[in-house]
Amino acid sequence: PSPADALVARGDEDSLREFLEGHGFGEDDIEDFGVLLTMESLMNSGVVELLREEIGNWYTDVVTIPGGMDQLPRAFLPELKHRIRFGAAVTASVAGMGYRRLARGLGVPADTVRGWLRRFAQRAGLLRGHFTRCAVALDPELGPVMPAGSAIADAVEVIAVAVRSWVLRFGP
């Protein structure tokens, strides 16, 4: 292999800290290096990975969104707003509203709403299991999620519990 290949192979095995230690840096030197180059949190990252990022200028053309990242979903809203009705239909269905009434309220064909509800019902058990695991991962002290009366209602309930667990852990 070429010298560059050998360096890449060795560098892929070494963290930045290990690389610096291997080149004679003491603990104080490593700490100074991390602080001065704002790389303290990257000391356990691979050397080659960091070099690729720097050499490749991966972070020089970063796009920012005025108002913050929470504006990203809103950017898609004009094109997608007619499709963002699924959750409202499922939640209203759990509350007892029929699919025809839901369709009128949402301004979509009744067959569309009935299809949404059927697909959700088919996947309700999988969704309940997935969001239960998410909720417990976010809040290990979470108590049992009580049955809500149907497979669909149970899934909606545990999705709400997982969202609540997320907000309590990370904020809204």
Side-chain angles (χ1 to χ4, degrees):
S2 73
D5 291 337
L7 179 62
V8 167
R10 182 167 185 275
D12 268 346
E13 295 173 7
D14 287 345
S15 69
L16 179 56
R17 174 176 297 283
E18 292 166 337
F19 180 82
L20 294 174
E21 287 171 348
H23 286 81
F25 280 62
E27 190 58 40
D28 289 341
D29 298 326
I30 293 171
E31 185 175 342
D32 290 344
F33 178 90
V35 170
L36 292 172
L37 297 176
T38 62
M39 298 185 88
E40 299 135 301
S41 64
L42 301 173
M43 287 298 165
N44 292 322
S45 298
V47 174
V48 172
E49 175 186 357
L50 293 171
L51 286 173
R52 283 184 181 132
E53 291 173 5
E54 288 298 319
I55 293 168
N57 291 318
W58 289 3
Y59 300 111
T60 58
D61 62 346
V62 176
V63 176
T64 59
I65 298 173
M69 287 299 292
D70 60 334
Q71 300 300 314
L72 183 60
R74 293 186 179 128
F76 294 100
L77 189 59
E79 283 187 48
L80 298 176
K81 68 181 178 184
H82 65 284
R83 295 178 179 263
I84 306 175
R85 304 255 193 310
F86 182 80
V90 171
T91 304
S93 173
V94 167
M97 189 179 290
Y99 75 91
R100 287 186 183 95
R101 185 172 165 208
L102 278 166
R104 280 192 305 275
L106 295 171
V108 297
D111 287 343
T112 299
V113 174
R114 187 171 53 200
W116 289 343
L117 298 175
R118 282 184 182 161
R119 283 190 300 280
F120 191 87
Q122 290 168 347
R123 295 170 177 89
L126 293 172
L127 291 166
R128 185 174 199 273
H130 173 75
F131 282 97
T132 298
R133 288 187 296 279
C134 290
V136 171
L138 291 164
D139 182 2
E141 296 180 19
L142 181 69
V145 179
M146 303 308 293
S150 72
I152 293 175
D154 291 350
V156 169
E157 178 67 20
V158 80
I159 290 168
V161 169
V163 169
R164 180 180 180 276
S165 296
W166 175 274
V167 170
L168 289 174
R169 184 162 182 183
F170 298 109

